[in-house]
Amino acid sequence: MAQPASRRERARADTLRDIRSAARAVLVDRGVDGLALRAIAREVGLTAPALYRYFASREDLVEQVVADLYGELCEVMEAARDAVDPRAPGTRLLVTARAFRTWATTHPAEFGLLFGSAADGVVPESPGGEGPAAVAGRRFGGVFATLFAEIHLRRPFPVPADDDLDPGYRDQLRAWCAELPVELPLGVMSVFLSCWVRLYGLVCMEVFGHLRFALTDAAPLFEAEMRALGKRLGIVDEWVPPRA
């Protein structure tokens, strides 16, 4: 049986939470370049040197905030996925994609920290990293990868043969697949990546305002694209209109 946390441990946990919360507010408001440890320390009632008892460096704090944001996003997506009844994987994928878009459009600054230019130098480029941001990023990728695997296992959709893939592309897919929690055939991985680029690209364009030249409301386009992806994956019959 786990021992209850001591008063000192609870106080440390509270301080860590306060530091990360203050850092998130600054990152959202001013971006990575505007994050000053002295200002964060002052916000939570510490001296700047005392802050180093909790985080080894400014980069360490930024990475932890990024990991927290990934965790928040994953919890939103997983809650939407798990609330689906019946638990048809196609419907679960569609509602998870909607949850991803909703979080992104209602948290544009946080989305930029995870996926936009603000993420440069913050989120490790190598998927094999063991830092908190890399681990949290793999959790995020695993949400979609697992659903794709469930869809393909239940009702296989058309995929290219390995020999039909460009050798360089094939090698990169194989390396990427080794980092995911679900092992998939390379043809499935290529379809997965194509669908992800389509979903992610659309959400990015909406969040960063690149659809305003044509649309004031991108929701109908998003639903049309989700139906198109459903047709490609053979799950269009599981598409259900979004709730009001």
Side-chain angles (χ1 to χ4, degrees), residues 88-91 147-159 188 230-239:
T91 306
L147 289 170
F148 264 80
E150 290 178 1
I151 290 169
H152 191 260
L153 288 172
R154 190 194 65 159
R155 190 192 300 178
F157 45 82
V159 301
V188 177
K231 290 179 180 178
R232 182 173 187 183
L233 300 175
I235 57 171
V236 70
D237 58 314
E238 295 178 17
W239 182 90

Side-chain angles (χ1 to χ4, degrees), residues 10-11 25 40 48 68-69 114 116 147 150 176:
R10 293 196 301 271
I40 299 299
D68 290 344
L69 292 175
L114 294 182
L147 289 170
E150 290 178 1
W176 177 40

Side-chain angles (χ1 to χ4, degrees), residues 13-230:
D14 289 342
T15 301
L16 284 168
R17 184 172 56 252
D18 291 344
I19 292 170
R20 297 204 303 263
S21 177
R24 172 176 176 168
V26 172
L27 286 168
V28 167
D29 185 50
R30 306 177 195 172
V32 176
D33 293 339
L35 181 69
L37 290 186
R38 188 175 300 278
I40 299 299
R42 186 167 54 247
E43 181 70 21
V44 296
L46 296 172
T47 63
L51 200 62
Y52 287 99
R53 294 204 299 265
Y54 298 91
F55 294 95
S57 65
R58 175 178 176 275
E59 291 71 25
D60 182 33
L61 175 55
V62 171
E63 184 175 2
Q64 184 58 62
V65 173
V66 167
D68 290 344
L69 292 175
Y70 265 126
E72 178 182 306
L73 173 55
C74 287
E75 288 172 5
V76 168
M77 291 164 45
E78 290 164 353
R81 175 200 66 193
D82 295 342
V84 172
D85 185 25
R87 296 171 64 85
T91 306
R92 297 173 82 203
L93 175 63
L94 293 170
V95 299
T96 300
R98 285 182 187 136
F100 171 62
R101 172 182 174 264
T102 298
W103 188 90
T105 55
T106 54
H107 299 79
E110 289 91 337
F111 182 83
L113 285 169
L114 294 182
F115 301 105
S117 59
D120 293 346
V122 177
V123 182
E125 294 183 4
S126 171
E130 293 304 324
V135 172
R138 286 199 295 274
R139 176 187 172 189
F140 170 78
V143 173
F144 282 109
T146 300
L147 289 170
F148 264 80
E150 290 178 1
I151 290 169
H152 191 260
L153 288 172
R154 190 194 65 159
R155 190 192 300 178
F157 45 82
V159 301
D162 288 3
D163 291 343
D164 292 336
L165 299 171
D166 178 272
Y169 181 41
R170 188 169 60 230
D171 291 343
Q172 292 178 84
L173 287 176
R174 186 175 290 110
W176 177 40
C177 187
E179 299 293 341
L180 292 176
V182 181
E183 185 174 352
L184 298 171
L186 297 186
V188 177
M189 292 296 293
S190 70
V191 174
F192 176 21
L193 182 58
S194 176
C195 291
W196 168 245
V197 168
R198 194 167 178 175
L199 168 61
Y200 170 66
L202 178 57
V203 171
C204 276
M205 291 187 72
E206 180 180 6
V207 171
F208 299 136
H210 299 318
L211 291 174
R212 292 175 187 161
F213 72 95
L215 302 174
T216 57
D217 178 11
L221 173 61
F222 180 83
E223 289 301 323
E225 289 297 302
M226 291 303 97
R227 283 182 65 87
L229 288 180

